[in-house]
Amino acid sequence: MKRIGIDVGGTNTDAVLVEENGVVASVKTPTTRDVIGGVREALRLLVERLGGNAGAVGAVMIGTTHFTNAVVQRRDLAQVAAIRIALPSGRSLPPFVDWPPELKELVAGRIYMVRGGHEYDGRPLDVFDVSAVTAAAREIRDTDIRTVAVTAAFSPLVSDCEAQAAEILRTEIPGVHVTLSHDLGRIGLLERENAALLNAALIPLADNTTRAFSDAVEGSGIEAPLFLTQNDGTVMRADRARAYPVYSFSSGPTNSMRGAAFLSELDDAMVVDVGGTTTDIGHLKAGFPREANRTVEVGGVRTLFRMPDLLSLGLGGGSLVDESRRMIGPRSVGHELETKATVFGGSGLTVSDLAVAAGLVSMGDSSRVEHVDPVTLSWFVERSRAMIEEGVDRMKATGDPLPLLAVGGGAFLVPDQLPGISEVIHVKHAPVANAVGAAIAQVSGEVDQVFSGISRAEALAEAEALARSRAVEGGADLETITAVEIEDLPLAYLPGEARRVRVRVVGDALAL
Amino acid sequence: MLHYLGYRYRRVMTDSHSKLRPISGEELEPLATGAWVLGAGGGGDPYHAFLNMRRLYQEGTVVSLMQPEALADDALVAVVSSMGAPLVGEERLTDPEIAALAVQQMETHLGRSFDAVMSVEIGGANSFQPLMVAAVMGLPVLDADTMGRAYPEAQHSSFAIGDLQPYPLTLADVRENAVVVSKVASWKWMERISRKVCTEVGSLAATCKAPRTGLEVKEWGVLHTVTQAIELGQAVIDARTSKEDPVGAVVDHAGGQLLFQGKVIDVSRRATEGFLRGTARVTGLEHDRDSELRVDFQNEFTVAWIDDEVAVTVPDLICVLDTTTGEAIGTEALRYGQRVSVVALPAPEVQRTPKGLEHVGPRAFGYSFDFHPLFI
């Protein structure tokens, strides 16, 4: 199946056409402010490259940082109403409690806390106060607010209260959009609620953006379903992305790692992506980056998203080197390397300059760095090597030797031999690894739940079955689904051998 | 509108004003950081309790810290904790009113008012429990606890070591159910019965343990631990800010020892009898290259071996810190690849006595060997 992957980056929008055996064509065009213009142009260039006809394309996958940027830059966000169903618990820590004040100001419309929710073992926490939800819905109806986030205690285990609240809201408020926290995830009420609130705030933007993406694909003459990539390296159908924009947060690094894996035909490997300002290091297992097992802040808001576990070092091709203090980075000339680096006639001493002087790479005018002190050079080579070596060792989640994939513009910094690494591979097409990662993305299903009173094997089986059905709902082809992550953690102070089980499965996107 | 002006000074003040000082809003974060280190791998994340206190301070509340020396012998002290599963606390967020409810129930049961409030354990989330109670009830927080760290159960407290009376206990849940356990045969029975009630109300409850007199606290309490936690946390934060070594700051500040530096290479966990038990292995780096440290945990870290030789045991504190940030790593969050520094801090004196070791020495945690004194 032919697939088109598009990566909307901060600087460039890349598009690739990928087949089973590799990249057929790739193009690059500047990202436009409205995002859509760049996507349209990239598709036009790609079709042109293919001789005016892309042929039968199975799917178009777009990866974008548009929604993350909206949160970080505090723009295009809607006012939302928060309904939390957890009283009598949580009264002292209402919704938006730990948000940056200016973001709360922008997003917090109405806040309601009502009785209800559940316990960890499925018993009701309190009788659900349905009339309070109805009253809240009628109040919201009289405002301009049209997106609501609903969060109930232990809803990842029992979602009844949230579902019932959604029904009431939809009945009372015509045209309302409701985000339910259990659709976004995990145990951890504040973090899950934060995700639901951010999601609700992004709904109008997501609606416009996904619609415009669909129009752009249609306008290019390609007939294929549209998917958006998520932060865990999988995709969701555009209609689902419209309802869950937060799932596309930070999908870039994941796409880049997965793209590298595909291009190298390796599933288990370390990936080192040396960019202009940072080096991102991750561990690919079964073709996916390991997930971070901790809270992640987005625009200053604490959430629990499925983010790749990446180590970001302040070491890039543009990092500035302080000779006297023997320090590399974290300051960088960034994308201005080609004007500010010494080899390009600038006055800054960058990592690239020293790499040229040390003979690791050739670029610009090497005579401009001939004067560099050999002591500095040997210190630099040793230090950058040590940084990468330690980072790789830190992120490597197994003692066995693994291959390492070097990608990014500064990949020349990666030494040919590293301890615990069987082989260092410099990946072809590395500049478009991001778009390739988008093109090959699959559909996932995830479960993170507490099981008690059943055996470990039963709990794992039940979780996997549930994850599979979620993947199918998300557009996966049942035949191709496999489990990529099964993890369980026994829980202290809970009766009945309680354990928290996390299972993630993936399958190929079902074409039309 | 400072709430602390309303304290009941009746039996409390026997000394100058310096024995009672306001805790400033800037001390809350250091307290959370320091208490997390003293949790020795357990005790739970103080994040929600910290958020509660930050909100209360933003609204103008200030709580005071009282030195135990200022307590009258016949003063009455509430000993508080949050009991239950940390996971439940992630959904049923902690609430100062409920923390106070357990204490109010105890006052009703006794027909007497408290003069101060203290934590059962300074390690982890419970470090903030007395602050929340203090904010609601206008009581001073006593600069003391009963563990100087975190432990899994009530019989590990210094009051149990002192054979003080284990009852009565009150327990309140978020629905405002309240239970009084008026009499028990032993500290272990208190743990069993209260744990059962706690499970029934959803595995999370606020408790007020057996009330103590000023004399009992001064004799058997682990003193000045709130100050110790704040100062320890401040030392870590200062080291981070000035880009100095935060692990060294912990060792220097707490009079501890850096045992080992390395990388976590294996973690195994299992839950039995309500505890998270397991073992982690750390392979040495730099000075400890070619060595391996193994550390056991039962909610908290219990024993560490270096190359199969016992290096440190309970009751001394074993803290696993992120080598770069000095951030304490809980037993639930340990995983392969982490660069860690394993640090030992001296246990409170009371736990190192023969009677103390019966309660919190290695044999109390199921090991067949004795306490291995690391600090003289």
Side-chain angles (χ1 to χ4, degrees), chain A residues 45-46 55 80 111 116 118 123 135 179 239 268 284 292 344 364 381 417 429 437 507 512:
Chain A
L45 287 172
L46 190 68
V80 308
I111 297 174
H118 286 82
R123 289 181 295 166
T179 298
D239 56 345
D268 290 301
L284 274 171
F344 293 112
V381 170
Q417 286 186 337
H429 293 294
L512 277 183

Side-chain angles (χ1 to χ4, degrees), chain B residues 57-375:
Chain B
Y57 267 68
Q58 280 162 357
E59 290 163 9
T61 306
V62 175
V63 298
S64 279
L65 186 67
M66 176 194 257
Q67 292 311 307
E69 294 77 10
L71 261 187
D73 286 353
D74 64 344
L76 194 65
V77 179
V79 185
V80 297
S81 81
S82 169
M83 182 176 197
L87 178 104
V88 177
E90 287 184 42
E91 291 285 317
R92 276 171 47 175
L93 312 175
T94 189
D95 184 337
E97 296 288 340
I98 304 304
L101 180 60
V103 179
Q104 287 152 352
Q105 285 299 311
M106 185 62 87
E107 287 190 336
T108 307
H109 178 72
L110 298 174
R112 264 185 83 180
S113 299
F114 283 110
D115 300 302
V117 57
M118 66 183 278
S119 175
V120 73
E121 61 180 350
I122 191 69
N126 269 329
S127 55
F128 275 77
Q129 193 81 356
L131 273 73
M132 293 197 291
V133 172
V136 175
M137 297 182 68
L139 290 169
V141 172
L142 199 63
D143 193 357
D145 76 317
T146 80
M147 296 178 176
R149 46 170 293 166
Y151 277 124
E153 295 187 314
Q155 64 267 23
H156 302 129
S157 78
S158 57
F159 295 153
I161 294 170
D163 277 333
L164 305 187
Q165 181 178 296
Y167 58 86
L169 172 145
T170 55
L171 181 152
D173 87 337
V174 69
R175 283 154 291 228
E176 305 192 13
N177 293 309
V179 174
V180 182
V181 183
S182 56
K183 190 162 188 304
V184 289
S186 67
W187 282 91
K188 284 195 178 174
W189 272 106
M190 179 54 90
E191 182 66 29
R192 282 175 73 174
I193 292 169
S194 52
R195 189 71 62 193
K196 197 85 180 173
V197 178
C198 180
T199 302
E200 196 49 39
V201 297
S203 286
L204 190 62
T207 67
C208 181
K209 313 277 187 198
R212 301 272 81 107
T213 64
L215 189 65
E216 285 176 322
V217 172
K218 284 183 276 186
E219 193 172 359
W220 287 104
V222 181
L223 308 183
H224 311 298
T225 46
V226 177
T227 298
Q228 186 198 350
I230 293 172
E231 289 179 358
L232 179 60
Q234 193 63 55
V236 173
I237 292 168
D238 288 348
R240 267 183 221 151
T241 316
S242 59
K243 306 245 180 281
E244 280 158 29
D245 172 24
V247 173
V250 170
V251 171
D252 290 347
H253 188 85
Q257 253 189 48
L258 174 61
L259 283 182
F260 199 80
Q261 288 192 305
K263 165 185 165 178
V264 178
I265 51 165
D266 186 52
V267 185
S268 65
R269 298 185 178 86
R270 64 191 188 282
T272 48
E273 297 145 44
F275 300 120
L276 182 66
R277 290 191 157 98
T279 303
R281 291 195 298 134
V282 183
T283 186
L285 292 169
E286 317 249 330
H287 294 304
D288 297 309
R289 201 169 278 281
D290 304 321
S291 274
E292 186 179 296
L293 175 136
R294 179 159 56 92
V295 60
D296 272 9
F297 48 89
Q298 294 181 31
N299 291 5
E300 288 81 30
F301 296 109
T302 49
V303 178
W305 294 262
I306 295 176
D307 296 328
D308 294 321
E309 293 273 334
V310 174
V312 57
T313 73
V314 273
D316 286 337
L317 288 75
I318 303 170
C319 307
V320 177
L321 310 176
D322 181 299
T323 298
T324 313
T325 65
E327 191 78 32
I329 300 173
T331 53
E332 287 182 317
L334 265 184
R335 63 194 174 90
Y336 182 99
Q338 286 166 333
R339 295 301 172 104
V340 298
S341 296
V342 183
V343 165
L345 309 183
E349 200 51 51
V350 61
Q351 296 171 4
R352 291 189 273 171
T353 61
K355 182 66 168 65
L357 292 170
E358 273 176 40
H359 288 256
V360 292
R363 291 183 192 276
F365 289 86
Y367 296 98
S368 57
F369 48 82
D370 290 317
F371 173 51
H372 178 92
L374 190 66
F375 302 94

Side-chain angles (χ1 to χ4, degrees), chain A residues 321-505:
Chain A
V321 178
D322 184 336
E323 261 189 281
S324 56
R325 294 170 64 201
R326 295 203 161 181
M327 271 177 60
I328 301 179
R331 292 200 314 124
S332 164
V333 299
H335 56 268
E336 293 176 310
L337 182 73
E338 296 197 0
T339 54
K340 297 220 163 148
T342 306
V343 288
F344 293 112
S347 58
L349 185 64
T350 66
V351 160
S352 294
D353 293 317
L354 290 179
V356 170
L360 297 176
V361 65
S362 50
M363 63 171 90
D365 177 2
S366 64
S367 70
R368 292 182 55 89
V369 288
E370 273 169 358
H371 66 280
V372 175
D373 183 355
V375 178
T376 298
L377 270 191
S378 67
W379 158 78
F380 161 76
V381 170
E382 192 43 51
R383 181 77 197 110
S384 60
R385 179 197 168 91
M387 282 172 85
I388 291 174
E389 187 176 315
E390 190 185 317
V392 167
D393 189 44
R394 193 181 179 115
M395 295 309 290
K396 198 162 159 267
T398 157
D400 303 330
L402 281 178
L404 182 147
L405 310 176
V407 297
F412 52 80
L413 281 180
V414 181
D416 288 336
Q417 286 186 337
L418 285 165
I421 294 300
S422 55
E423 181 188 8
V424 173
I425 299 161
H426 288 265
V427 178
K428 248 189 2 180
H429 293 294
V432 290
N434 244 309
V436 172
I440 58 157
Q442 295 170 295
V443 178
S444 74
E446 199 200 55
V447 167
D448 179 3
Q449 210 166 293
V450 176
F451 293 87
S452 58
I454 56 176
S455 74
R456 176 169 184 269
E458 284 170 327
L460 295 187
E462 199 171 306
E464 189 175 335
L466 193 56
R468 280 174 174 272
S469 70
R470 285 186 185 169
V472 171
E473 274 170 42
D477 178 354
L478 181 64
E479 302 291 311
T480 62
I481 293 178
T482 54
V484 288
E485 214 178 298
I486 300 179
E487 234 182 48
D488 70 315
L489 182 68
L491 297 170
Y493 292 125
L494 287 179
E497 293 282 295
R499 59 184 67 246
R500 179 175 182 166
V501 181
R502 201 165 116 193
V503 173
R504 208 156 63 91
V505 302

